[in-house]
Each structure stands twice: as structure tokens, then as C-alpha cells.
């Protein structure tokens, strides 16, 4: 007679063979005996030798490995359920069933003897069943980095020589290591891009650890004033397909703006981020004043003119943000009067206009090589910008800071179409994971002397691993339930069931904390040794 166990009134979906997961035979003596041998064959590129195991509790393999199954059984048919996909195995000349399965992710293997067809009568026997979790370790991409220069470089000219050093490592082995670049030339809208590769002299201490180096001058790279070279290292491992990883990209730029002749400097991240900010312009102006004694008059004038160009660019950005320049003097004068009279309530707009006026003054003073007065105007622009951004948060606001209601229009609308409205909270999605874990715990707790412990434990082991094969606690619970099914001693079986309940309860508490159900407890029917074990776990 087949026993059917319904948990909390929620039937679970049937498996691919049509048999309910919760239905299992009670005649344990009629079970067909199985001996499962598995040869784990890792991918050839890993260089790992194949391993063989017999009746494993759990299988561990590298991503892409092949599992060669050899099953000795007296059953007429044997099939394998791999992550929900079932297929029958073929019997060989020696009487054993064999098959090959490639694994790419963590899952499970369920070997079922005598289960080629779903039982049509309640007394039909389904044979032996064995659940084996499969833990797959992914093949990580290579780790590659540029150890030298490992930073952005800006040159004013000359023919400096640059040494490139690259380091790459991989968990199984590398296939290639290259230094690639993208060269950018031109200006305005006429940019040209050229892809290329700098050959590396590669040395390796092992197949997993490679080093590469190369040395090039600016003349070798054919870099001229205004050009930019973006370079990065690319490493690929030996896996089939695209197993490449890219390092951080860095820049080599040829520019005379703000660079000492013949020297290179690292552009810090903060400076890159605020390269065209008003505050950065003040820093550049102060540096220029400090180096005044070391520069000729022509050099000083040229660098002050360059700062004037940057000031004009910054002002253009804020003018664009304000909606464009006002060319009509009468309109501008009228707006200025409104600003002074306070009729424009958004004070942030006035502060931004004050900042753009100060930027215009700073630009004129820098053009006249008057850095002292230019600094005063630049700082006035920064103060106005800070007022606009911090006080009124002008950039983030679409409306004025204050707005006045028109009292004459209050309560003058029509109410003929007004109806009552009540906001309904959207339904909360059911936490299926927590519900399945509660059912698993209830199923373990309800096993007693009167039940067919072996078959019930086998079914629960399958349910535990199907909830989430990647969860280590659920794999442990499935393994312990398998031990309970195989145990002949009552004390050993009890310990295995307690360990399975403890592992499942720990996983249930995690799921319950993430998205609790409405029930106050995880499994209210747990009692006896199970309840004691769970209390110790808490």
C-alpha cells in the first residue's frame, strides 16, 4: 500500500516521471539494491586527474566536468534525474547501467532503479532511490593587472621611455597575455581611433602565473601633441571559448596644459574628476603664482592665457545649465531689477548668475595676466556656487524655493466628479522557499515508528535538495536523510534525523528572517528529540 503525505494542504509539483514526490512505496525489502560508481573527469585544460568514487554522499566537480556513471543493480530499468531532467541509462554487456552527464552548475543527481514508468497501481514498486548533491566549483576568470606604470601619465613633449609590466594569474592555467591599446588622435568632431597591441616578453614561473614586460618611447608609439593612448592588459585562460579578463585601463596623454616641460605627472583621481571645476581652477592659479619667479614672462603669460581658456569653458557649462546666454540688454536689465527687488523667489538662480559674472571677470583678468585679482574673482564665483548648491539645491529643484498660493482660487473647483478613494496595499508575494522549508521540517517531525522511515527519508532527501541545491545546509540535510534511510540501527537513524532537522531548521530561520510568513513558528509540530536539537541550535 502506498503512503501519501500531504503537508499543510499545499501539494508540491510532480516530477518528470509523473509520480508525486510525496508518494513512495512502503515495502523496503523489495527494493532493488544499487552500487553506484562515479568517475569525475575534469576538463582537459585544467590538468586535473580524474577521480573515482563509489556510493558517494556528495559529488564535487569543476565547472564543465563530465560524470561517468556506472550502476550495478538488479532492477530492470535505471534512470537518472539531473536537476529535474530525467533520462534512462543503458545496460552494458557486463550488466551494469552506464551514462555520462556534464555538470555546469551546482545541482543534484537522483538515481532511480526500476522507475522507468510511473506506477499505475498503488501497490506498484518503484525500486531503490539515491540522492547525491553535486557541488560545482566555477572556473574563475584570470586576474590581470598592470603593475607599471599602473597610472595615468601626461607629457608635455619630448621622447620619454615608458616601461610596461603586467602580472596575470589563473586558477588552472593561462593561454595568452597581451597589452592592447586604443590611440585617439584629432580634435573637435574629427577624432580617429586606432586599435593596436604592444608585444610583451612573457615569462612564467608556472602555467598559472605569468609576467609580461615591454618598453616603448613616445616616438615608438607615434604620439604627438593632443594625442591620447588608452592601454590595458588582457589575459585569457585555457577554457574553450572566450575566457578573457581585462585589467584597469590607463591613459598616456600628450598635452602642454599645466605640465612642466619634459616631465610627466600622475593625474590623481580627484583631479581628473574635478579637472574643469571652479575650485580646481583656483588651485591651478595659485600654483602658477607660486612658480612666477621660475618662469619667463612669455611662459607666465602663456599659462595664464591657458587658465583663461579653462575659465571660459567652466562658465560656458553653467550658462548652458541656466538655459543660455541673455543677449538682449533690456531683458537682462529687467531681470536684474527683478532679482534685486526679490520678485524672483528662487535665490539659487541669482547666485548662479552672480557666479557666471564673477567667472567673466576672472577670465578677463587672466587674459590680462593679472593673477592676483583673478583669484579674488574666482573665489567669489566659488562662494556663489556654494550658496546656490547648498542653500537652495538649485540643480536638483524644478520649482522655486517658495511659492505663494492664489487665495482667490481656493475652493473654487467643481466637486461633481469627486469620489471616495482608499489606497489598497499591493499583495505581498508568498515566500515559497520558507513554505517549502516549513513543510520539510514538518515531514521530518512527523516520522515515527509507525511510518515507513526509509521511504519517507528518501522522499524528504529529494525534497531538501530540490529546494536549493546551492545551499550547503540543505545539502547537509539531504545527506543526513539519506543516512537515515540507509541506517539499520535505530539509534544511528535517530541521530541522522536530528542532524537533518537541525540543518533544515537553520536554513529555515535564515529564509524566515529574510521574508517571514504569517505563521508565528517555523514548524509547530516538532517534538521530542527534534525539538530538543532545534532548541540547542538556537
Amino acid at each position: 500500500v502506498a503512503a501519501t503525505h500531504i503537508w499543510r494542504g499545499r501539494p508540491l509539483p510532480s516530477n518528470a516521471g509523473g509520480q508525486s514526490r510525496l508518494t513512495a512505496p512502503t515495502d523496503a525489502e523489495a527494493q532493488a539494491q544499487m552500487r553506484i560508481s562515479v568517475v569525475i573527469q575534469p576538463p582537459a585544460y585544467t590538468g586535473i586527474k580524474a577521480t573515482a568514487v563509489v556510493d558517494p554522499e556528495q559529488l564535487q566537480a569543476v565547472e564543465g566536468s563530465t560524470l561517468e556513471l556506472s550502476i550495478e543493480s538488479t532492477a530492470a530499468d535505471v534512470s537518472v534525474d539531473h536537476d529535474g531532467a530525467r533520462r534512462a541509462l543503458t545496460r552494458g554487456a557486463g550488466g551494469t547501467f552506464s551514462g555520462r552527464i556534464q555538470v555546469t552548475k551546482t545541482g543534484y543527481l537522483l538515481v532511480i532503479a526500476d522507475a522507468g514508468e510511473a506506477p499505475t497501481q498503488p501497490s506498484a514498486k518503484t525500486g531503490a532511490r539515491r540522492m547525491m548533491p553535486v557541488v560545482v566549483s566555477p572556473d574563475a576568470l584570470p586576474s590581470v593587472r598592470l603593475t607599471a606604470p599602473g597610472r595615468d601619465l601626461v607629457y608635455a613633449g619630448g621622447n620619454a621611455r615608458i616601461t610596461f609590466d603586467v602580472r596575470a594569474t589563473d586558477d588552472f592555467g593561462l593561454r595568452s597575455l597581451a597589452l592592447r591599446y586604443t590611440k585617439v588622435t584629432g580634435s573637435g568632431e574629427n577624432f580617429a581611433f586606432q586599435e593596436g597591441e604592444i608585444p610583451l616578453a612573457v615569462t612564467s614561473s608556472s602555467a598559472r602565473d605569468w609576467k609580461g614586460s615591454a618598453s616603448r618611447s613616445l616616438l615608438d608609439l607615434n604620439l604627438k601633441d593632443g594625442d591620447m593612448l588608452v592601454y590595458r592588459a588582457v589575459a585569457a585562460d585555457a577554457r574553450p571559448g572566450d575566457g578573457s579578463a581585462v585589467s584597469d585601463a590607463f591613459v598616456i596623454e600628450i598635452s602642454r596644459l599645466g605640465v612642466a616641460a619634459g616631465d610627466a605627472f600622475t593625474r590623481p583621481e580627484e583631479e581628473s574628476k574635478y579637472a574643469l571645476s571652479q575650485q580646481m581652477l583656483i588651485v591651478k592659479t595659485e600654483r602658477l603664482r607660486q612658480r612666477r619667479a621660475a618662469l619667463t614672462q612669455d611662459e607666465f603669460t602663456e599659462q595664464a592665457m591657458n587658465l583663461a581658456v579653462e575659465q571660459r569653458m567652466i562658465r560656458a557649462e553653467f550658462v548652458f545649465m541656466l538655459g543660455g546666454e541673455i543677449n538682449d540688454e533690456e531683458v537682462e536689465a529687467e531681470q536684474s531689477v527683478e532679482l534685486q527687488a526679490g520678485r524672483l523667489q528662487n535665490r539659487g538662480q541669482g547666485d548662479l548668475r552672480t557666479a557666471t559674472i564673477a567667472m567673466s571677470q576672472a577670465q578677463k583678468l587672466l587674459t590680462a595676466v593679472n593673477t592676483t585679482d583673478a583669484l579674488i574673482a574666482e573665489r567669489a564665483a566659488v562662494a556663489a556656487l556654494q550658496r546656490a548648491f547648498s542653500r537652495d539645491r538649485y540643480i536638483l529643484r524644478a520649482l522655486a524655493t517658495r511659492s505663494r498660493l492664489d487665495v482667490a482660487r481656493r475652493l473654487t473647483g467643481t466637486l461633481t466628479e469627486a469620489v471616495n478613494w482608499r489606497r489598497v496595499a499591493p499583495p505581498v508575494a508568498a515566500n515559497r522557499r520558507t513554505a517549502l522549508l516549513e513543510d520539510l521540517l514538518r515531514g521530518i517531525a512527523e516520522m515515527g515508528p509507525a511510518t515507513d522511515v526509509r521511504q519517507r527519508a528518501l522522499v524528504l532527501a529529494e525534497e531538501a535538495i530540490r529546494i536549493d541545491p546551492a545551499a550547503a545546509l540543505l545539502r547537509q540535510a539531504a545527506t543526513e536523510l539519506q543516512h537515515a534511510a540507509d541506517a539499520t540501527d535505530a539509534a544511528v537513524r535517530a541521530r541522522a534525523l536530528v542532524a537533518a532537522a537541525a540543518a533544515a531548521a537553520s536554513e529555515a530561520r535564515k529564509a524566515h528572517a529574510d521574508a517571514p510568513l504569517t505563521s508565528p513558528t517555523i514548524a509547530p509540530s516538532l517534538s521530542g528529540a527534534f525539538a530538543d536539537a532545534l532548541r540547542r541550535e538556537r
Side-chain angles (χ1 to χ4, degrees):
V1 178
T4 303
H5 181 48
I6 305 299
W7 297 339
R8 301 188 57 173
R10 289 196 299 271
L12 294 179
S14 60
N15 56 26
Q19 179 188 0
S20 171
R21 296 181 186 177
L22 304 178
T23 303
T26 58
D27 190 358
E29 296 180 357
Q31 296 287 333
Q33 299 300 318
M34 289 191 301
R35 184 175 186 270
I36 303 174
S37 300
V38 183
V39 176
I40 305 173
Q41 182 65 57
Y45 72 87
T46 62
I48 303 176
K49 295 182 179 180
T51 57
V53 291
V54 178
D55 290 334
E57 296 180 354
Q58 180 173 285
L59 295 170
Q60 293 190 352
V62 179
E63 179 183 2
S65 297
T66 301
L67 305 181
E68 299 178 358
L69 303 177
S70 178
I71 302 171
E72 300 176 9
S73 175
T74 59
D77 299 295
V78 174
S79 62
V80 175
D81 183 344
H82 178 218
D83 294 344
R86 178 177 295 184
R87 65 187 182 92
L89 300 183
T90 57
R91 186 188 293 272
T96 60
F97 294 87
S98 60
R100 293 168 59 90
I101 296 175
Q102 188 175 39
V103 292
T104 57
K105 63 179 182 178
T106 296
Y108 64 88
L109 284 181
L110 173 61
V111 181
I112 307 172
D114 236 356
E117 298 293 338
T120 57
Q121 301 296 330
S123 60
K125 297 178 177 60
T126 58
R129 307 165 72 90
R130 180 168 294 277
M131 173 68 73
M132 295 176 291
V134 180
V135 181
V136 175
S137 302
D139 182 4
L141 290 174
S143 173
V144 56
R145 58 191 178 93
L146 278 159
T147 56
R151 55 193 175 96
D152 294 344
L153 297 175
V154 181
Y155 290 92
N159 189 29
R161 178 164 289 274
I162 306 171
T163 300
F164 302 94
D165 287 324
V166 182
R167 173 77 179 271
T169 57
D170 186 66
D171 47 2
F172 295 115
L174 292 163
R175 180 179 58 189
S176 64
L177 180 62
L179 182 63
R180 298 176 185 172
Y181 65 83
T182 301
K183 182 180 176 183
V184 185
T185 58
S187 60
E189 297 181 357
N190 299 319
F191 279 107
F193 299 90
Q194 177 186 351
E195 301 285 343
E197 181 176 324
I198 300 176
L200 292 173
V202 178
T203 59
S204 60
S205 57
S206 66
R208 303 180 180 183
D209 192 350
W210 288 14
K211 295 180 180 179
S213 61
S215 180
R216 294 292 186 275
S217 65
L218 297 181
L219 184 61
D220 296 334
L221 299 174
N222 195 22
L223 293 178
K224 302 176 183 178
D225 188 23
D227 292 350
M228 181 183 298
L229 186 82
V230 183
Y231 63 97
R232 68 274 182 197
V234 181
D237 60 13
R239 80 179 72 184
D242 184 16
S244 60
V246 183
S247 71
D248 293 336
F250 299 99
V251 173
I252 299 175
E253 183 179 359
I254 309 299
S255 174
R256 299 181 61 187
L257 285 176
V259 182
D263 192 15
F265 71 94
T266 301
R267 177 179 291 174
E269 181 181 354
E270 195 72 12
E271 182 174 333
S272 300
K273 185 176 180 181
Y274 301 104
L276 290 179
S277 68
Q278 186 66 23
Q279 185 65 47
M280 193 63 223
L281 183 64
I282 294 176
V283 174
K284 290 184 176 181
T285 305
E286 290 177 341
R287 289 177 181 175
L288 179 60
R289 290 190 62 207
Q290 294 172 359
R291 294 187 292 112
R292 175 67 181 90
L295 299 175
T296 64
Q297 182 60 36
D298 292 340
E299 292 173 342
F300 184 74
T301 301
E302 180 181 1
Q303 295 190 24
M305 295 288 287
N306 290 335
L307 293 179
V309 173
E310 290 192 24
Q311 179 65 91
R312 182 177 180 84
M313 294 171 63
I314 297 171
R315 182 180 181 275
E317 291 181 1
F318 284 101
V319 169
F320 175 78
M321 184 171 56
L322 286 169
E325 193 75 66
I326 298 178
N327 296 322
D328 193 327
E329 295 181 0
E330 295 182 0
V331 175
E332 185 174 3
E334 181 181 353
Q335 189 177 39
S336 299
V337 172
E338 291 179 349
L339 284 169
Q340 294 174 3
R343 287 194 290 269
L344 289 182
Q345 301 297 333
N346 194 337
R347 298 179 61 183
Q349 182 180 359
D351 289 331
L352 284 178
R353 284 189 54 79
T354 301
T356 56
I357 293 174
M359 291 177 189
S360 297
Q361 296 175 351
Q363 176 190 337
K364 295 177 182 178
L365 293 170
L366 288 172
T367 304
V369 201
N370 185 353
T371 56
T372 303
D373 294 338
L375 274 173
I376 298 175
E378 290 171 4
R379 292 193 176 100
V382 168
L385 291 176
Q386 289 176 342
R387 289 196 303 270
F389 294 156
S390 61
R391 178 197 303 163
D392 291 273
R393 302 184 66 84
Y394 179 77
I395 303 303
L396 302 181
R397 298 181 67 91
L399 300 175
T401 305
R402 293 179 294 167
S403 58
R404 181 173 300 175
L405 295 175
D406 187 353
V407 181
R409 297 181 60 188
R410 296 189 65 186
L411 304 178
T412 59
T414 176
L415 301 178
T416 56
E417 297 181 0
V419 294
N420 291 332
W421 176 78
R422 184 176 182 179
R423 182 178 181 181
V424 179
V428 179
N431 185 358
R432 178 172 172 79
R433 182 187 181 90
T434 302
L436 292 175
L437 289 167
E438 288 188 2
D439 288 340
L440 175 64
L441 284 165
R442 186 182 294 274
I444 298 174
E446 291 179 355
M447 282 194 294
T451 62
D452 186 350
V453 176
R454 172 181 171 79
Q455 292 304 318
R456 185 88 42 173
L458 287 174
V459 174
L460 291 175
E462 297 173 22
E463 292 304 320
I465 199 63
R466 281 193 175 103
I467 294 174
D468 185 4
L473 287 172
L474 289 178
R475 293 199 302 269
Q476 179 184 348
T479 302
E480 295 295 342
L481 287 167
Q482 188 75 50
H483 288 165
D486 296 337
T488 57
D489 183 74
V492 174
R493 181 186 298 116
R495 286 196 296 270
L497 290 175
V498 169
S506 298
E507 186 66 29
R509 281 198 301 274
K510 291 168 55 179
H512 192 76
D514 294 338
L517 291 179
T518 56
S519 58
T521 58
I522 293 178
S525 63
L526 290 178
S527 59
F530 301 112
D532 295 337
L534 295 182
R535 280 194 292 270
R536 288 195 298 272
E537 284 294 316
R538 294 192 186 99

